[in-house]
Amino acid sequence: MRRSEELELARRALRGRDLVVFSNDWDGDPLSKVHIMRILSRDNRVLWVNSIGNRAPKANAHDVKRIWKKLASFTEGIREVEPNLFVLAPLAVPFYGSEAVRAFNRTLLRAQVLRAMRQLHFKKPISWSFLPASAPVSGRLGEEFVVYHCVDEFSAFSDTNGKHIAEMEEQLLRRADLCITSAERLRENKVRINPKTVLVRHGVDFNHFVKACDPSTPIPEDIAKLPKPLFGFFGLVADWVDLEAIAATARAHPEGSVAVIGKVAPDVNPKELEALTSLPNVHMLGRKPYAALPGYCRAFDVALMPFKVNELTLNANPLKVREYLAAGLPVVSSDIPEVRKVGLCKLASGTEDFVRKVDECLAEGSGPTRERAERIRHESWEAKVEEIRGFVGEAMVKSGRGL
């Protein structure tokens, strides 16, 4: 076969296909998985299987609410949330330490997904997993091709049973026809188990976030009148976020404000959270709709990306960094490998250095600018999905499948 024919076959491999996708819950914040599958659903049918969990639930209000929500979603059956994009909320028992439970989940999940596939008339699908917890069923659905798309070091999350998550991930890696990773360190780790491992870094919804540079974009009322300078963070406030760096920024600028936008996860250290929220110029604004984020970014003078440096964050590729940059903002970040690779950010080596870098941003000119935003335009999700199409297509051509 000539190289031109191989390339044409590769381009066609991810068009007109049925994809079974294991990921986070569809109704959550739009993470990298949502952006990728929205683009792929333009010319493929996607069955999105909501999260089957990476950890056992705890007896707290957060987890009880989540369980009830999952039960309610399950009763809805398959929902078509967008053209070609169908969501299934399966039932599973997330107690991964028990082999009996794993065996039960294999049977239960497989039955639910196969039933949904029959309803949608899916045949010879590509299964695409963003979660190790899909290991009991990935590769057992009559798939033509199995993709593991790894965007985090899941065994390093503090609220998981790391040993069992690592075991499931290894099963998935060995079964996958292709492993796609979002960070170089992840690629280095996963290629040891699966040599068919590639790197495709995150993209950004540039046209959405660049609205922060448009004077006609309205600034929401709850942030518009906060004293300047205004230092902003958006995203999940989880235990990997360095709250002390945010607090130090607030203390260094009592004349200004710090706005924290996002849900507070139950795993956050209560003492660290109290130390932050007790400061009079720190404003916890809660979770906001994705559509509203450019307006909030327009109010920011400097965007903050403070992560504690540990095994989880060393493997992370924080999507919010590219979103801040697309909003035209100066960014101060903890020094982690993938942010260093992006460039365009000031990197801090500790709390004092974080505050120092924030001050440098203020001195150099703060707030959103179109010139800053343009430097990240080429990192669009469309460009990243074309990379993914190429890798999947090439792997399918080499294996003689999808032709």
Side-chain angles (χ1 to χ4, degrees), residues 31 76 122 126 136 201 221 261 392 394:
L31 304 174
E76 294 175 0
F122 272 31
I126 296 172
R201 290 187 167 92
E221 288 184 12
I261 297 164
V392 173
E394 185 178 7

Side-chain angles (χ1 to χ4, degrees), residues 53-55 96 102 132-133 153-156 160-170:
N54 282 322
R55 65 175 178 84
Y96 304 117
R102 291 196 211 187
E153 189 56 75
F154 292 100
S155 62
T160 64
N161 184 324
K163 178 177 181 290
H164 295 301
I165 294 298
E167 288 173 359
M168 285 197 291
E169 184 181 62
E170 183 170 346

Side-chain angles (χ1 to χ4, degrees), residues 68-279:
W68 277 112
K69 185 177 178 182
K70 281 190 171 293
L71 286 170
S73 298
F74 173 72
T75 62
E76 294 175 0
I78 302 170
R79 296 180 293 140
E80 186 170 9
V81 292
E82 293 180 8
N84 282 343
L85 218 159
F86 306 87
V87 172
L88 171 69
L91 288 181
V93 182
F95 295 97
Y96 304 117
S98 165
E99 180 52 42
V101 169
R102 291 196 211 187
F104 178 75
N105 273 345
R106 274 198 297 273
T107 303
L108 180 62
L109 286 170
R110 186 170 179 271
Q112 292 174 87
V113 175
L114 286 173
R115 182 172 181 270
M117 287 168 54
R118 283 195 299 272
Q119 287 179 257
L120 296 171
H121 306 290
F122 272 31
K123 294 176 181 175
K124 291 187 177 180
I126 296 172
S127 79
W128 201 298
S129 180
F130 289 98
L131 298 173
S134 75
V137 292
S138 293
R140 296 188 170 97
L141 301 168
E143 303 98 316
E144 189 166 32
F145 197 79
V146 177
V147 176
Y148 174 38
H149 200 140
C150 179
V151 299
D152 277 303
E153 189 56 75
F154 292 100
S155 62
F157 280 94
S158 62
D159 61 349
T160 64
N161 184 324
K163 178 177 181 290
H164 295 301
I165 294 298
E167 288 173 359
M168 285 197 291
E169 184 181 62
E170 183 170 346
Q171 290 175 27
L172 189 54
L173 276 165
R174 294 191 185 283
R175 196 173 298 139
D177 297 295
L178 179 70
C179 176
I180 301 170
T181 58
S182 59
E184 177 59 32
R185 189 172 167 121
L186 285 175
R187 190 199 68 78
E188 291 171 355
N189 290 339
K190 308 314 170 192
V191 77
R192 295 170 190 161
I193 299 173
N194 188 334
K196 292 171 287 189
T197 295
V198 298
L199 171 65
V200 180
R201 290 187 167 92
H202 288 329
V204 67
D205 189 353
F206 179 85
N207 291 332
H208 182 60
F209 283 94
V210 78
K211 293 173 189 172
C213 302
D214 184 346
S216 68
T217 297
I219 298 176
E221 288 184 12
D222 59 351
I223 200 171
K225 295 180 181 178
L226 295 182
K228 295 280 205 168
L230 199 154
F231 311 101
F233 170 93
F234 68 69
L236 181 65
V237 183
D239 67 346
W240 59 80
V241 177
D242 187 351
L243 299 185
E244 172 53 28
I246 300 177
T249 301
R251 289 193 296 267
H253 290 277
E255 79 288 2
S257 308
V258 170
V260 178
I261 297 164
K263 183 175 73 172
V264 178
D267 59 5
V268 172
N269 184 308
K271 289 184 179 178
E272 291 180 12
L273 187 62
E274 169 63 23
L276 176 66
T277 57
S278 64
L279 297 172

